[in-house]
Amino acid sequence: MTADVALVTGANRGIGLEVTRQLAGQGHVVFLGARSPAAGAEAAAPLRAAGLDVRPVRLDVTDRDTIEAAIADIDRQVGRLDVVVNNAAIHYDTTNRATDPDLTIVHEALDTNLHGAWDVVLAALTMLRRSEHGRIVNVSSGAGALTDMAGGLPAYRLSKVGLNALTRMWAAELAGDGILVNSVCPGWVATDMGGGGGRPVADGADGVVWAATLPDDGPTGGFFRDRRPIPW
Ligand code: NAP
């Protein structure tokens, strides 16, 4: 086994699916995380039929049992994990306001977008530390940038601000392990979350794949869009 091994969360559709396709196209073994096993199998089938080593794995980022089971499954199948892409996210809450919030939405967004990513990384750390070039990519958003923070989207914005903070903490704490950790905004992308009018999913996925395949002397603790740094 020489190919790098990646895990992408929320990979059965949207940007996660395209990141999976692109990483597998570069020769990675990619575990396609999906909370619905049926959706995961359905998403993986055409990629596998095209000769890519894409393996669906059940993973609900809000369910620690499925996270632990997915990581154990990866260990059993290939014995290594080099890349974790924290992509799964919910609640682009355009009708919500920080002055009049639907706190259920806020809690759900934090559970999935922030605590979910945190739990996945904690479960994956032992294998990532064993890797010779560990990479963590937090799929974030310009909506989580404090520099131009505005009103609205409180659930989504808070979850991405928190995720960006984890990027900085993990980058510092894992530097000695050679694990590069970065936040990437994919830009406005035409997916179920992004809606119509966004750019093609391949363009949004490109920066995520770039951060997942950085050379060992690549950046860590940064926030990027289209392979270029953006302000926090
Ligand atoms: P999407 O089309 O809505 O897809 C979201 C994915 O996350 C789906 O596969 C969904 O699975 C999965 N998911 C949701 N909750 C989950 C959970 N608890 N466990 C595991 N998977 C879960 O979204 P997208 O546009 O591809 O967004 C991907 C990432 O890019 C997100 O982090 C988002 O915040 C970020 N982003 C997107 C845009 C944009 O314009 N699209 C802009 C900036 C940042 P199900 O099919 O089971 O629901």
Side-chain angles (χ1 to χ4, degrees):
M1 161 69 58
T2 53
D4 277 1
V5 177
L7 168 66
V8 183
T9 67
N12 54 289
R13 60 188 168 94
I15 294 165
L17 178 57
E18 178 61 17
V19 167
T20 297
R21 193 187 67 74
Q22 291 187 17
L23 280 176
Q26 292 188 22
H28 282 63
V29 177
V30 187
F31 285 85
L32 182 160
R35 56 181 164 177
S36 154
E42 192 180 337
L47 302 180
R48 294 178 61 81
L52 301 175
D53 194 345
V54 171
R55 309 182 188 195
V57 63
R58 178 175 175 229
L59 198 167
D60 180 336
V61 300
T62 64
D63 179 342
R64 281 198 194 139
D65 289 345
T66 71
I67 295 172
E68 300 286 349
I71 296 297
D73 196 15
I74 294 168
D75 203 5
R76 236 184 344 262
Q77 286 193 44
V78 293
R80 64 184 281 190
L81 180 60
D82 306 287
V83 177
V84 169
V85 178
N86 284 311
N87 169 79
I90 56 170
H91 291 336
Y92 189 76
D93 53 334
T94 48
T95 59
N96 213 357
R97 307 289 295 169
T99 44
D100 181 23
D102 180 338
L103 288 176
T104 302
I105 296 291
V106 175
H107 291 146
E108 287 175 356
L110 293 175
D111 276 351
T112 297
N113 308 0
L114 176 58
H115 300 127
W118 201 338
D119 282 339
V120 169
V121 163
L122 291 179
L125 261 187
T126 301
M127 281 213 283
L128 285 174
R129 284 192 163 116
R130 278 204 316 250
S131 168
E132 283 171 16
H133 23 248
R135 307 284 179 265
I136 298 170
V137 185
N138 289 329
V139 183
S140 184
S141 168
L146 288 171
T147 37
D148 50 22
M149 187 64 59
L153 302 174
Y156 191 74
R157 286 189 196 278
L158 274 177
S159 72
K160 296 302 188 182
V161 169
L163 189 63
N164 283 349
L166 280 179
T167 294
R168 300 288 293 184
M169 289 184 259
W170 288 338
E173 293 177 16
L174 297 172
D177 296 299
I179 300 173
L180 304 181
V181 188
N182 291 290
S183 280
V184 173
C185 170
W188 178 27
V189 180
T191 61
D192 294 338
M193 178 184 281
R199 62 190 186 154
V201 75
D203 294 356
D206 172 81
V208 178
V209 171
W210 168 80
T213 56
L214 285 169
D216 291 343
D217 61 352
T220 190
F223 190 14
F224 297 91
R225 182 187 297 124
D226 294 332
R227 307 183 178 207
R228 287 189 294 275
I230 58 172
W232 297 101

